[in-house]
Amino acid sequence: MEVSVMGNSQGHMVRTELAYRNLRFCCVPKNDKLIFSWRNSSVCLVGQGSRWRKAQLRFTSKAVHSQPLVRSDRLSATKRKSSDGVKLFVGLPLDTVSSCNGVNHERAIAAGLKALKLLGVEGVELPLWWGVVEKEARGKYEWSSYLSVAEMVQKAALKLHVSLCFHASKQPKIPLPEWVSKIGESQPSIFYKDRTGKHYKDCLSLAIDDLPVLDGKTPVQVYQEFCESFKSAFMPFMGSTITGISMGLGPDGELRYPSHQGKSKTPGVGEFHCYDENMLRLLKQHAEATGNPLWGLGGPHDVPNHDQSPNVNTFFKDHGGSWESPYGDFFLSWYSSQLISHGDRLLSLASSAFRDNGVNVHGEVPLMHYCKEGYAAVAEMFMKNSCKMILPGMDLSDHSQHHESSSPELLLGQIKAACRHYGVEISGQNSSVSEAPAGFDQIKKNLLGEKNVVNLFTYQRMGASFFSPDHFPSFTQFVRNLNQPGLDSDDLAEEEEITESSHMNSEISIQVQTA
């Protein structure tokens, strides 16, 4: 897939051309609201109104030269409205900045930013990796590539949401900082461990939050120094281009234990990770403090294996399961309280660091089933720290799930109810790039439903498939429906003639790569 962007130094509206196989897409934003229609083996994405009448985005079979488009003096500056206050962001590729601290597919991203701006998208989300910025030594930060991306977003007149990722990624491969991994080689107890003895090395155990195990510093101190350095480096963008910051809270950035690893289509119940020496130390202390020292020797013995269903063993059984016993209540209360305390420490840190810089602080929680009502305490903790909650799975519906899985629609309803009760705003995400209209329909249902508390949605994520003809028209229709929920797909406006000037612009041809 080739992308060609034509621009000029005078800031004229220009035509952007992208090539993909033998299909041609023509996008003309008008009033910042887009419509698409099929015409003569082409897909035309056409808006309604006058503001962008002379701007055009075209996907064609060849990368072609283009000319600036003359904008009429009659063009108005109508401001885009987003229904129900839902702002739309799109995630940039996970490897936008590589593990070697270079900007990947820079020109492709620049072209994508122009396309998103024309569609009326509010901004983009940028994953910022601890293992890239503070790679070699504690306190040695390298922000240059991320600053370059922020400048690109600013130039495109989009907003930026930054996700501070204090975990590792397997795909693309971005490890923890080298100096942290080196410490872990001699002190594996800084990582979570399951009951089989396997360590999870993609993030640090919450049990060491306040232990000086990182070159004499605690993880909380290291995260705080990282946030302060980030704030100093990006101060020119704070509150203007950068409007939101997500604080990494655990595996994959979420406030959870590494119970589930990988993305199996039919995941099991998962496992408790309380067997590293520091988690066992905390469990032992809690058991002794409550007068039950024998309960502090380890986690429950009657739980299923990682990939088994909840009812294979007795702990999670719906009726008469030992999770309802005094021991079960003791263990689950302790296990969940440790997680909430960890979230409280990190969100408090982030809120303190960024609250005076005009940005909203976010934290991500998983869409996971709890034996007991677990989201109320989480929502209360977010409320306490004046943070917004990121909730994935907005594209999931009950009928698409495995028959033994929990109901995602029920879980979303529980979380929304808890957030409404505590006045916590939700920022939604989808679980994967959707090529089926049903996924977009489910997202729209969750975003525009009755008693909605979602004020921002981030679509995950930009890459080669994002701009493919199998996906991009559906995404464009989704944007249009989100901005105009009452408008039927048959209400299409006629295209208006595009007037081109005779001045040629330089052409940029690039390859869009998969994130």
Coordinates of all heavy atoms in Angstrom, one line a residue, residues 230-277:
F230 N 9.5 13.1 31.9 CA 8.5 13.3 30.7 C 7.8 14.6 30.7 O 7.8 15.3 29.7 CB 7.5 12.1 30.8 CG 6.3 12.3 29.9 CD1 6.4 12.0 28.5 CD2 5.1 12.9 30.3 CE1 5.3 12.2 27.7 CE2 4.0 13.1 29.5 CZ 4.2 12.7 28.2
K231 N 7.4 15.0 31.9 CA 6.7 16.3 32.0 C 7.6 17.5 31.6 O 7.2 18.4 30.8 CB 6.2 16.6 33.4 CG 5.5 17.9 33.6 CD 4.8 17.9 35.0 CE 5.8 18.0 36.1 NZ 5.2 18.2 37.4
S232 N 8.9 17.4 32.0 CA 9.8 18.5 31.7 C 10.1 18.5 30.2 O 10.1 19.6 29.5 CB 11.1 18.3 32.4 OG 12.1 19.2 32.1
A233 N 10.3 17.3 29.6 CA 10.6 17.2 28.1 C 9.5 17.7 27.2 O 9.7 18.3 26.2 CB 11.1 15.8 27.8
F234 N 8.2 17.4 27.7 CA 7.1 17.6 26.8 C 6.2 18.8 27.3 O 5.1 19.0 26.8 CB 6.2 16.4 26.8 CG 6.8 15.2 26.0 CD1 7.7 14.4 26.6 CD2 6.4 15.0 24.7 CE1 8.3 13.4 25.8 CE2 6.9 14.0 23.9 CZ 7.9 13.2 24.5
M235 N 6.8 19.7 28.2 CA 6.0 20.8 28.7 C 5.5 21.7 27.5 O 4.3 22.2 27.7 CB 6.9 21.6 29.6 CG 6.2 22.8 30.3 SD 4.8 22.2 31.3 CE 5.6 21.4 32.6
P236 N 6.2 21.9 26.4 CA 5.6 22.8 25.4 C 4.3 22.2 24.8 O 3.5 22.9 24.2 CB 6.7 22.8 24.3 CG 7.9 22.6 25.1 CD 7.6 21.6 26.1
F237 N 4.0 20.9 24.9 CA 2.9 20.3 24.4 C 1.7 20.1 25.4 O 0.6 19.8 25.0 CB 3.2 18.9 23.8 CG 4.3 19.0 22.7 CD1 5.6 18.7 23.0 CD2 4.0 19.3 21.4 CE1 6.6 18.7 22.1 CE2 4.9 19.3 20.4 CZ 6.3 19.0 20.7
M238 N 2.1 20.2 26.7 CA 1.1 19.9 27.7 C -0.1 20.8 27.7 O 0.0 22.1 27.7 CB 1.8 20.0 29.1 CG 2.8 18.9 29.3 SD 2.0 17.3 29.6 CE 3.4 16.3 30.1
G239 N -1.3 20.3 27.7 CA -2.5 21.0 27.8 C -3.0 21.6 26.5 O -4.1 22.1 26.3
S240 N -2.1 21.6 25.5 CA -2.5 22.0 24.1 C -2.6 20.9 23.2 O -3.7 20.4 22.8 CB -1.5 23.1 23.6 OG -0.1 22.6 23.7
T241 N -1.4 20.3 22.8 CA -1.4 19.1 22.0 C -1.7 17.9 22.8 O -2.6 17.0 22.5 CB -0.1 18.9 21.2 OG1 0.1 20.0 20.4 CG2 -0.1 17.6 20.4
I242 N -1.0 17.7 23.9 CA -1.2 16.6 24.8 C -2.3 16.9 25.8 O -2.2 17.8 26.6 CB 0.1 16.2 25.6 CG1 1.2 15.8 24.7 CG2 -0.2 15.1 26.6 CD1 2.5 15.5 25.4
T243 N -3.4 16.2 25.7 CA -4.6 16.4 26.5 C -4.9 15.3 27.5 O -5.7 15.4 28.4 CB -5.9 16.7 25.7 OG1 -6.1 15.5 24.8 CG2 -5.7 17.9 24.8
G244 N -4.2 14.1 27.3 CA -4.5 13.0 28.2 C -3.2 12.2 28.3 O -2.4 12.0 27.4
I245 N -3.1 11.6 29.5 CA -1.9 10.7 29.8 C -2.5 9.5 30.5 O -3.2 9.6 31.5 CB -0.9 11.4 30.7 CG1 -0.2 12.5 29.9 CG2 0.2 10.4 31.1 CD1 0.7 13.4 30.7
S246 N -2.1 8.3 30.0 CA -2.5 7.0 30.7 C -1.3 6.5 31.5 O -0.2 6.5 31.0 CB -2.9 6.0 29.7 OG -4.1 6.3 29.0
M247 N -1.5 6.1 32.7 CA -0.5 5.6 33.6 C -0.5 4.1 33.5 O -1.6 3.5 33.8 CB -0.7 6.1 35.1 CG 0.4 5.6 36.0 SD 2.0 6.5 35.6 CE 3.0 5.8 36.9
G248 N 0.6 3.5 33.1 CA 0.7 2.0 33.1 C 0.5 1.4 34.5 O 1.2 1.8 35.4
L249 N -0.4 0.4 34.6 CA -0.7 -0.1 36.0 C -0.4 -1.6 36.2 O -0.6 -2.1 37.2 CB -2.2 0.1 36.2 CG -2.7 1.6 36.2 CD1 -4.2 1.6 36.4 CD2 -2.0 2.4 37.3
G250 N 0.1 -2.2 35.1 CA 0.4 -3.7 35.2 C 0.6 -4.3 33.9 O 0.9 -3.7 32.9
P251 N 0.3 -5.7 33.8 CA 0.4 -6.4 32.5 C -0.4 -5.7 31.4 O -1.6 -5.4 31.6 CB -0.1 -7.8 32.9 CG 0.1 -7.9 34.3 CD -0.1 -6.5 34.9
D252 N 0.2 -5.5 30.3 CA -0.4 -4.8 29.1 C -0.9 -3.4 29.5 O -1.8 -2.9 28.9 CB -1.5 -5.6 28.6 CG -1.0 -7.0 28.0 OD1 0.1 -7.0 27.4 OD2 -1.7 -8.0 28.1
G253 N -0.4 -2.9 30.6 CA -0.8 -1.5 31.1 C -2.0 -1.5 31.9 O -2.4 -0.5 32.4
E254 N -2.7 -2.7 32.1 CA -3.9 -2.7 32.8 C -3.8 -3.0 34.3 O -2.8 -3.6 34.8 CB -4.8 -3.9 32.2 CG -5.2 -3.7 30.8 CD -6.0 -4.8 30.2 OE1 -5.9 -5.9 30.8 OE2 -6.8 -4.6 29.3
L255 N -4.8 -2.6 35.1 CA -4.8 -2.8 36.5 C -5.2 -4.3 36.8 O -6.4 -4.5 37.0 CB -5.7 -1.8 37.2 CG -5.8 -1.9 38.7 CD1 -4.5 -1.6 39.4 CD2 -6.9 -1.0 39.3
R256 N -4.3 -5.2 36.7 CA -4.6 -6.6 36.9 C -3.3 -7.4 37.2 O -2.2 -6.9 37.0 CB -5.3 -7.2 35.6 CG -4.4 -7.2 34.4 CD -5.2 -7.9 33.2 NE -4.4 -7.9 32.0 CZ -3.5 -8.8 31.6 NH1 -3.3 -9.9 32.5 NH2 -2.9 -8.8 30.5
Y257 N -3.5 -8.6 37.6 CA -2.4 -9.5 37.7 C -2.2 -10.2 36.3 O -3.1 -10.1 35.5 CB -2.7 -10.6 38.8 CG -2.8 -10.0 40.2 CD1 -4.0 -9.7 40.8 CD2 -1.6 -9.8 40.9 CE1 -4.1 -9.3 42.1 CE2 -1.7 -9.4 42.2 CZ -2.9 -9.1 42.8 OH -2.9 -8.6 44.1
P258 N -1.1 -10.8 36.1 CA -0.9 -11.5 34.8 C -1.6 -12.9 34.8 O -1.1 -13.9 34.4 CB 0.6 -11.7 34.8 CG 1.0 -11.8 36.2 CD 0.1 -10.9 37.0
S259 N -2.9 -12.9 35.2 CA -3.7 -14.1 35.3 C -3.8 -14.8 33.9 O -3.7 -16.0 33.8 CB -5.1 -13.8 35.8 OG -4.9 -13.2 37.1
H260 N -4.1 -13.9 32.9 CA -4.2 -14.4 31.5 C -3.0 -13.9 30.7 O -2.8 -12.8 30.7 CB -5.5 -13.9 30.9 CG -6.7 -14.5 31.5 ND1 -7.2 -15.8 31.2 CD2 -7.6 -14.1 32.5 CE1 -8.3 -16.1 31.9 NE2 -8.5 -15.0 32.7
Q261 N -2.4 -14.9 30.1 CA -1.2 -14.5 29.2 C -1.6 -15.0 27.8 O -2.0 -16.1 27.6 CB 0.0 -15.2 29.7 CG 0.4 -14.7 31.1 CD 1.6 -15.5 31.6 OE1 2.5 -15.8 30.9 NE2 1.7 -15.7 32.9
G262 N -1.3 -14.1 26.8 CA -1.7 -14.4 25.4 C -3.1 -14.0 25.2 O -3.8 -13.5 26.0
K263 N -3.6 -14.3 23.9 CA -4.9 -13.9 23.5 C -5.6 -15.1 22.9 O -6.0 -15.2 21.8 CB -4.8 -12.8 22.5 CG -4.3 -11.5 23.1 CD -4.3 -10.4 22.1 CE -3.8 -9.1 22.7 NZ -3.8 -8.0 21.7
S264 N -5.8 -16.2 23.7 CA -6.6 -17.3 23.3 C -8.0 -17.0 23.1 O -8.6 -16.1 23.8 CB -6.5 -18.4 24.4 OG -7.4 -19.5 24.1
K265 N -8.6 -17.5 22.0 CA -10.0 -17.3 21.7 C -11.0 -17.9 22.8 O -12.1 -17.4 23.0 CB -10.4 -17.8 20.3 CG -9.7 -17.1 19.2 CD -10.1 -17.6 17.9 CE -9.5 -16.8 16.7 NZ -9.9 -17.4 15.4
T266 N -10.5 -18.9 23.5 CA -11.3 -19.5 24.5 C -10.5 -19.6 25.8 O -10.0 -20.7 26.2 CB -11.8 -20.9 24.1 OG1 -10.7 -21.7 23.8 CG2 -12.7 -20.8 22.9
P267 N -10.2 -18.5 26.4 CA -9.3 -18.5 27.6 C -9.9 -19.2 28.8 O -11.1 -19.3 28.9 CB -9.1 -17.0 27.9 CG -10.4 -16.4 27.4 CD -10.7 -17.1 26.2
G268 N -9.0 -19.8 29.6 CA -9.5 -20.4 30.8 C -9.7 -19.4 31.9 O -9.7 -18.2 31.7
V269 N -9.8 -19.9 33.1 CA -10.1 -19.1 34.2 C -8.8 -18.3 34.7 O -8.9 -17.3 35.4 CB -10.6 -19.9 35.4 CG1 -9.5 -20.8 36.0 CG2 -11.2 -19.0 36.5
G270 N -7.6 -18.7 34.2 CA -6.4 -18.0 34.6 C -5.9 -18.6 35.9 O -6.4 -19.5 36.5
E271 N -4.8 -18.0 36.5 CA -4.2 -18.4 37.7 C -3.9 -17.2 38.6 O -3.7 -16.1 38.1 CB -2.9 -19.2 37.4 CG -3.2 -20.5 36.7 CD -1.9 -21.4 36.6 OE1 -0.9 -20.9 37.2 OE2 -2.0 -22.4 36.0
F272 N -3.8 -17.5 39.9 CA -3.4 -16.5 40.9 C -1.8 -16.4 40.8 O -1.1 -17.4 40.7 CB -3.8 -16.9 42.3 CG -5.2 -16.9 42.5 CD1 -5.9 -18.1 42.8 CD2 -5.9 -15.7 42.4 CE1 -7.3 -18.1 43.0 CE2 -7.3 -15.7 42.6 CZ -8.0 -16.9 42.9
H273 N -1.3 -15.2 40.8 CA 0.1 -15.0 40.8 C 0.5 -14.4 42.2 O 0.7 -13.1 42.3 CB 0.5 -14.0 39.7 CG 0.7 -14.8 38.4 ND1 -0.4 -15.4 37.8 CD2 1.7 -15.0 37.6 CE1 0.0 -15.9 36.6 NE2 1.3 -15.7 36.5
C274 N 0.7 -15.2 43.2 CA 1.0 -14.7 44.5 C 2.1 -15.6 45.1 O 2.2 -15.7 46.4 CB -0.2 -14.8 45.4 SG -0.9 -16.4 45.6
Y275 N 3.0 -16.1 44.3 CA 4.0 -17.1 44.8 C 5.4 -16.6 44.7 O 6.3 -17.3 45.1 CB 3.8 -18.4 44.0 CG 2.5 -19.1 44.2 CD1 1.4 -18.8 43.4 CD2 2.4 -19.9 45.3 CE1 0.2 -19.4 43.7 CE2 1.2 -20.6 45.6 CZ 0.1 -20.3 44.7 OH -1.1 -20.9 45.0
D276 N 5.6 -15.3 44.3 CA 7.0 -14.8 44.4 C 7.2 -14.5 45.9 O 6.2 -14.3 46.7 CB 7.2 -13.5 43.5 CG 6.2 -12.4 43.9 OD1 6.5 -11.6 44.8 OD2 5.2 -12.3 43.2
E277 N 8.4 -14.4 46.3 CA 8.7 -14.3 47.8 C 8.1 -13.0 48.4 O 7.7 -13.0 49.6 CB 10.2 -14.4 48.1 CG 11.0 -13.2 47.5 CD 12.5 -13.3 47.9 OE1 13.1 -14.4 47.5 OE2 13.0 -12.4 48.5

